[in-house]
Amino acid sequence: MIKTPYLLFLGDAPDQLAAKVAQGIKDWRPENAVGQYRMEGCKADMGLPDMDLAAAKAAGAKTLVIGVANRGGVISQAWKKVLIMALEEGFDLASGLHNLLRDEPDLVAVAEACGRALHDVRVPEVKYPIANGVKRSGKRCLAVGTDCSVGKMYTAMAMDAEMKERGMKSTFRATGQTGILITGDGVPLDAVVADFMAGSIEWLTPDNEPDHWDLIEGQGSLFHVSYSGVTMALVHGGQPDALILCHEPTRDHMRGLPDYQLPTLEVLRDTALPLAQVANADCKVVGISVNTQHMGEDEAKAYLAEVEARMGLPAVDPFRHGAGRLVDALATA
Amino acid sequence: MIKTPYLLFLGDAPDQLAAKVAQGIKDWRPENAVGQYRMEGCKADMGLPDMDLAAAKAAGAKTLVIGVANRGGVISQAWKKVLIMALEEGFDLASGLHNLLRDEPDLVAVAEACGRALHDVRVPEVKYPIANGVKRSGKRCLAVGTDCSVGKMYTAMAMDAEMKERGMKSTFRATGQTGILITGDGVPLDAVVADFMAGSIEWLTPDNEPDHWDLIEGQGSLFHVSYSGVTMALVHGGQPDALILCHEPTRDHMRGLPDYQLPTLEVLRDTALPLAQVANADCKVVGISVNTQHMGEDEAKAYLAEVEARMGLPAVDPFRHGAGRLVDALATA
């Protein structure tokens, strides 16, 4: 568990996109973000108060979160200076960078001397069990995609937010680095050892109240040959009661795989549902989430209407039009 | 790569079953086993010459392989004495034990001093790539099961042996500890980090001659919720041209999962084949391997005939009746 709230470190981000993690925290857990720390030359701006370490401390921040991708896989000396000062001021550090905080001897030494924690969310810190498949109480919803990066995390986040607004019981369950930094907790599934993947998801989504929903962040795709095993562990370890199909209609091949076409939503449904029913015979496909960011408003609406008629399920872009109808579908499921 | 041939260490095995690894080596790579080393009280016997270290050395053995499971997850002092002497005599050590050789400081110190290698085949020693899905030359066959431990390794081994006898080009590709110890090489798939599973199988089964077959050892089952992600990585990373369906008909629930029933062979076929065709559109199911060890001869024959008629595919128990008809099916595929 990463201590909240955060000071978001934007460093010397060359543009807004480089600060994707900070953006996610700002969008989905604004209550976790007391301010932003920008260095000279920073081109990103979350619209949060700019704070130095002392101001952030006074505002209650507990952890400095590296909300920006670094260049060249090296934690620069300019960053280091800030990170070390932050440890000395009493902040923990959290990072999803590929190069780990714990591999930097100077950071480790200062963290130890000051009694502060270094959280590398790419590395599992729990000894997960082997999955046992025992039926758990409570409800679970999993987003599955025709491809990677089609909006599965966004869909689960948006549904969780809508459910909370309605007073329903729900928890977003992060399975990737960004999700973990946003919420402060979760399983970095792509870094878990093969035998423990499904068990890590059982661990993440334990018994709960009968009317509580876990919104599980999806990973990869059953049709993406690089990562399909990770997706499969979510389908079986997550024991979902409900599946949301996620799609990005303008993509002309699978992400990173130029020779592979995306499956249709029908093929995704007919593949994912029987597999999910191995772990939960009552599982249903309840809705469709379409990422229409590359479509105009009219085109998006026409596409969603066509998909909805064809599949007989609510089809929405939760970013564009809200997740309300997906939550309606869950509530009636 | 583990240096062959081996001296098989049977230790103080309480029975024949405890020496399963040694049995596999003896059955499948007898040319790799120059002799056996038994301690006082050993109840296992591979029918190999009993040798002390000096005799095994003289007979050409390069590696002492721990061919027996240890009790209680501890490498006993009695074993240690032999292992240390073996290192001093110039043997490498190889082990598939959960408790690693490399975690024993005395073994590490002696191995370093003597310049010998400690092979823990449970731990990946290669930095595997992320799978790229690019079509590879050569042919690949994968055994997929209705459950774990239904005879997938045995099936691939038996087919490989039969193909070699016929002068066909084939390689057994080990994906588990026993297979790796038997052949001296492979990928310990259940210990690979999630993101690299499919890539490790691409690495294991690279481009080859057009008429060469890789016989890939299966793991888990698409229907076993604890390990299905591992199986999925084989189905996509292996890019199989041919699938063999494996089944054990007398099991009344999935291994280790009392609440889960085995799927039928039809359901396995209809699930595995479309998934395999994502990575290789030409993939076919070519045969069925049934583990009939718990059936009488008449019962086994009747069952195989019934399955063969029902499925329209050759159905054999390769242990009982040979793998010839499965290889015929591959050859015509």
Side-chain angles (χ1 to χ4, degrees):
Chain A
M1 279 290 259
I2 303 168
K3 286 188 202 148
T4 56
Y6 304 150
L7 172 63
L8 302 183
F9 176 76
L10 307 187
D12 44 6
D15 52 37
Q16 195 75 3
L17 204 64
K20 204 173 69 161
V21 168
Q23 188 73 54
I25 297 169
K26 159 71 180 356
D27 287 349
W28 294 111
R29 291 291 185 276
E31 71 276 18
N32 281 355
V34 303
Q36 63 188 16
Y37 187 107
R38 301 196 292 168
M39 289 165 50
E40 206 175 298
C42 181
K43 301 281 190 336
D45 184 357
M46 296 301 127
L48 292 166
D50 282 296
M51 291 184 179
D52 62 15
L53 296 170
K57 193 81 196 157
K62 302 273 193 295
T63 303
L64 179 143
V65 171
I66 298 183
V68 56
N70 56 339
R71 282 176 276 196
V74 175
I75 299 178
S76 70
Q77 281 310 312
W79 283 25
K80 277 271 182 73
K81 219 178 123 185
V82 181
L83 301 183
I84 286 172
M85 281 195 309
L87 289 168
E88 288 168 349
E89 297 273 340
F91 291 90
D92 291 341
L93 302 184
S95 159
L97 300 177
H98 271 289
N99 45 328
L100 305 181
L101 300 173
R102 70 185 64 176
D103 289 343
E104 303 292 324
D106 43 0
L107 294 182
V108 171
V110 178
E112 273 175 16
C114 303
R116 307 314 317 164
L118 301 178
H119 297 284
D120 287 302
V121 301
R122 281 195 183 267
V123 184
E125 296 191 333
V126 172
K127 204 169 142 39
Y128 302 114
I130 300 264
N132 63 23
V134 174
K135 174 77 184 154
R136 308 194 289 290
S137 54
K139 299 278 188 183
R140 284 155 201 91
C141 175
L142 174 67
V144 292
T146 51
D147 193 2
C148 299
S149 310
V150 290
K152 295 185 298 293
M153 181 182 90
Y154 194 99
T155 300
M157 285 278 195
M159 290 177 70
D160 176 50
E162 172 74 18
M163 291 172 87
K164 287 201 163 59
E165 223 174 278
R166 295 188 188 186
M168 296 170 72
K169 296 171 191 163
S170 74
T171 309
F172 171 82
R173 299 294 189 181
T175 62
Q177 284 76 27
T178 307
I180 295 172
L181 285 174
I182 291 174
T183 60
D185 205 0
V187 167
L189 185 57
D190 63 11
V192 172
V193 165
D195 249 5
F196 303 97
M197 293 186 301
S200 75
I201 302 305
E202 291 189 349
W203 175 90
L204 182 67
T205 60
D207 280 321
N208 217 316
E209 295 169 77
D211 57 343
H212 176 277
W213 281 92
D214 278 331
L215 283 309
I216 306 173
E217 181 189 356
Q219 293 294 333
S221 164
L222 292 169
F223 295 86
H224 196 294
V225 296
S226 310
Y227 308 115
S228 53
V230 181
T231 313
M232 189 69 150
L234 282 159
V235 169
H236 282 166
Q239 232 171 59
D241 300 275
L243 297 177
I244 306 283
L245 309 181
C246 297
H247 187 49
E248 204 284 65
T250 68
R251 217 167 266 188
D252 56 10
H253 61 74
M254 296 290 284
R255 192 176 164 89
L257 303 176
D259 299 335
Y260 289 78
Q261 298 304 304
L262 275 72
T264 63
L265 282 162
E266 284 88 342
V267 168
L268 173 62
R269 174 194 64 201
D270 296 344
T271 303
L273 185 60
L275 288 170
Q277 288 173 336
V278 168
N280 184 347
D282 296 328
C283 184
K284 292 184 179 55
V285 175
V286 301
I288 299 165
S289 172
V290 181
N291 177 346
T292 63
Q293 68 176 318
H294 299 299
M295 296 171 137
E297 180 68 17
D298 289 351
E299 191 190 0
K301 280 197 167 147
Y303 181 82
L304 290 166
E306 185 269 316
V307 167
E308 181 150 339
R310 207 177 80 209
M311 305 284 293
L313 289 167
V316 303
D317 181 336
F319 184 81
R320 206 156 186 163
H321 308 119
R325 295 186 61 229
L326 295 178
V327 171
D328 293 344
L330 262 203
T332 47
Chain B
M1 279 288 259
I2 303 167
K3 285 188 203 146
T4 55
Y6 304 149
L7 172 63
L8 301 184
F9 176 75
L10 307 187
D12 45 5
D15 52 37
Q16 194 75 4
L17 204 65
K20 202 172 70 161
V21 168
Q23 188 73 55
I25 297 170
K26 160 70 181 356
D27 287 349
W28 295 111
R29 292 289 184 277
E31 71 275 20
N32 281 354
V34 303
Q36 63 188 16
Y37 186 107
R38 301 195 293 168
M39 289 164 52
E40 207 176 298
C42 181
K43 299 279 191 335
D45 184 356
M46 296 302 126
L48 292 167
D50 282 298
M51 290 182 179
D52 62 14
L53 296 170
K57 193 80 195 158
K62 303 273 194 297
T63 302
L64 179 143
V65 171
I66 298 183
V68 56
N70 56 340
R71 284 176 276 195
V74 175
I75 299 178
S76 71
Q77 281 310 310
W79 282 26
K80 275 271 182 74
K81 219 178 124 188
V82 180
L83 302 182
I84 286 172
M85 279 195 309
L87 289 167
E88 288 167 350
E89 297 273 339
F91 290 91
D92 291 342
L93 302 183
S95 158
L97 300 178
H98 272 288
N99 46 328
L100 305 181
L101 300 174
R102 71 186 61 175
D103 289 343
E104 304 292 324
D106 42 1
L107 294 182
V108 171
V110 178
E112 273 175 13
C114 303
R116 306 316 316 164
L118 301 178
H119 297 284
D120 287 302
V121 302
R122 280 195 185 267
V123 185
E125 296 191 331
V126 172
K127 203 170 142 40
Y128 302 115
I130 301 264
N132 64 23
V134 173
K135 175 76 183 154
R136 307 194 289 292
S137 53
K139 299 278 189 185
R140 283 154 203 90
C141 175
L142 174 67
V144 292
T146 51
D147 192 2
C148 299
S149 311
V150 290
K152 296 185 298 294
M153 182 183 88
Y154 194 99
T155 300
M157 286 279 194
M159 290 177 70
D160 176 49
E162 172 74 17
M163 292 172 87
K164 287 201 163 59
E165 224 174 277
R166 295 189 188 187
M168 296 171 71
K169 296 171 190 162
S170 74
T171 309
F172 171 82
R173 299 295 190 181
T175 62
Q177 285 76 26
T178 306
I180 296 172
L181 285 173
I182 292 175
T183 60
D185 205 0
V187 167
L189 185 56
D190 62 10
V192 172
V193 165
D195 248 4
F196 303 97
M197 293 187 299
S200 75
I201 302 305
E202 291 190 349
W203 175 91
L204 181 67
T205 60
D207 281 322
N208 217 316
E209 296 170 76
D211 56 345
H212 175 278
W213 282 92
D214 277 331
L215 283 310
I216 307 173
E217 181 189 355
Q219 293 294 333
S221 164
L222 292 169
F223 294 86
H224 195 294
V225 296
S226 311
Y227 308 115
S228 53
V230 181
T231 313
M232 189 69 150
L234 282 160
V235 169
H236 282 165
Q239 233 173 58
D241 300 274
L243 298 177
I244 305 284
L245 309 181
C246 298
H247 187 50
E248 206 283 65
T250 68
R251 217 166 265 187
D252 56 8
H253 62 73
M254 297 290 284
R255 192 177 163 88
L257 304 175
D259 299 335
Y260 289 78
Q261 299 304 304
L262 275 72
T264 62
L265 282 162
E266 284 87 342
V267 168
L268 173 62
R269 175 194 63 201
D270 296 344
T271 303
L273 184 60
L275 288 170
Q277 287 174 336
V278 168
N280 183 348
D282 297 327
C283 184
K284 291 183 179 56
V285 175
V286 300
I288 299 166
S289 173
V290 181
N291 178 346
T292 63
Q293 67 176 319
H294 299 300
M295 296 172 138
E297 180 67 16
D298 289 350
E299 192 189 359
K301 279 195 169 148
Y303 181 82
L304 289 167
E306 185 270 314
V307 168
E308 181 150 340
R310 207 177 80 211
M311 304 284 293
L313 289 167
V316 303
D317 181 335
F319 183 80
R320 207 157 185 161
H321 307 120
R325 295 185 61 228
L326 296 178
V327 171
D328 293 345
L330 261 202
T332 48

